[in-house]
Amino acid sequence: MQLVSNYPQVPLATSNPATDAARVEGQQRPPVIPPQQPAKGHEERAFNPQNERTADTAQQNARLATQVHERQQQSNQQQQQQNSQEQKQQGKSLFAAMLVKPALDRKDIRNAVNTPTAQAAQQQDKQQHPLPGQSDDFYRDLGSRIGDYYRQQTSPASAASLDAKA
C-alpha cells in the first residue's frame, strides 16, 4: 500500500511541525565559535592583601550573622511564650464560660446548671421591666398594634391609593 501526501513538497517521514521548525532554526543560526586558549599574557596576578578582602572581614560577617540569628531566635521564643500565656488565659476563660453555659441550650431539657441561672435572669427581668404591673392583655394588644404597623409599612400600596400623575 502506498501513502500519498496531499502536499508533495513535504516528506511523510518528517511531517512533525515542531521538529521541522527546530531543524530550520538550527540551520539559520550562526555557528558557535569555541573560545580561544589564553595566551601567556593572561597569567594570574599575584596576591596583594591591600586590594583583597581578608579572611577577617568574612569572620566578622559570620559573627554578625550569628548574632542577628540569635536575636531573632530570642524574639521568636518571647513571642511564643506570650502567645502560649494568652492561649492559656483564653482557654481558662472558655472553660469557665463552658461551665456556665451548656453547649446545647434546649428548652425541653432542663439541666441542674440551667435552673438557677434561668430563675435569676427572670428575676432581673422583672426588676428592670419598664412597665411593671401590666396585664398580659396589655402586652398582646401592644404586640398586635406593632405587628399591624409593620405590616402596613412593608406591604405594597393598593391601586386605589395610587394616583397617576402625568
Side-chain angles (χ1 to χ4, degrees):
M1 181 165 134
Q2 185 179 10
L3 296 175
V4 179
S5 171
N6 292 336
Y7 303 100
Q9 70 273 16
V10 178
L12 290 174
T14 60
S15 61
N16 187 352
T19 56
D20 288 343
R23 182 177 47 81
V24 170
E25 285 179 10
Q27 290 174 350
Q28 291 177 354
R29 287 185 184 155
V32 177
I33 301 172
Q36 297 177 354
Q37 293 295 326
K40 294 218 176 206
H42 293 97
E43 291 180 13
E44 192 174 316
R45 62 184 173 88
F47 177 74
N48 186 357
Q50 293 176 348
N51 296 334
E52 301 292 331
R53 291 185 180 172
T54 61
D56 294 338
T57 57
Q59 289 175 355
Q60 290 174 354
N61 289 340
R63 284 186 208 134
L64 288 174
T66 55
Q67 289 174 355
V68 168
H69 185 67
E70 289 173 1
R71 288 179 191 160
Q72 289 176 350
Q73 285 181 346
Q74 289 175 356
S75 65
N76 287 341
Q77 288 175 354
Q78 289 174 354
Q79 288 178 354
Q80 288 176 355
Q81 289 174 355
Q82 290 174 353
N83 289 341
S84 64
Q85 289 174 356
E86 290 175 1
Q87 288 176 354
K88 286 178 184 178
Q89 290 174 354
Q90 289 176 353
K92 288 179 183 178
S93 64
L94 287 175
F95 184 70
M98 288 174 58
L99 288 177
V100 173
K101 184 178 179 185
L104 296 175
D105 192 15
R106 293 180 50 181
K107 301 297 180 190
D108 59 339
I109 299 175
R110 301 288 181 197
N111 290 336
V113 176
N114 268 352
T115 310
T117 57
Q119 290 175 354
Q122 288 175 355
Q123 290 175 357
Q124 287 178 354
D125 287 344
K126 289 179 182 178
Q127 292 173 356
Q128 296 176 355
H129 201 281
L131 299 173
Q134 296 294 333
S135 65
D136 290 339
D137 293 334
F138 171 78
Y139 292 112
R140 282 192 205 106
D141 185 40
L142 182 64
S144 66
R145 287 185 186 199
I146 292 172
D148 291 341
Y149 173 77
Y150 281 112
R151 252 184 258 108
Q152 183 183 18
Q153 295 295 322
T154 57
S155 65
S158 64
S161 64
L162 294 177
D163 294 330
K165 295 182 180 179

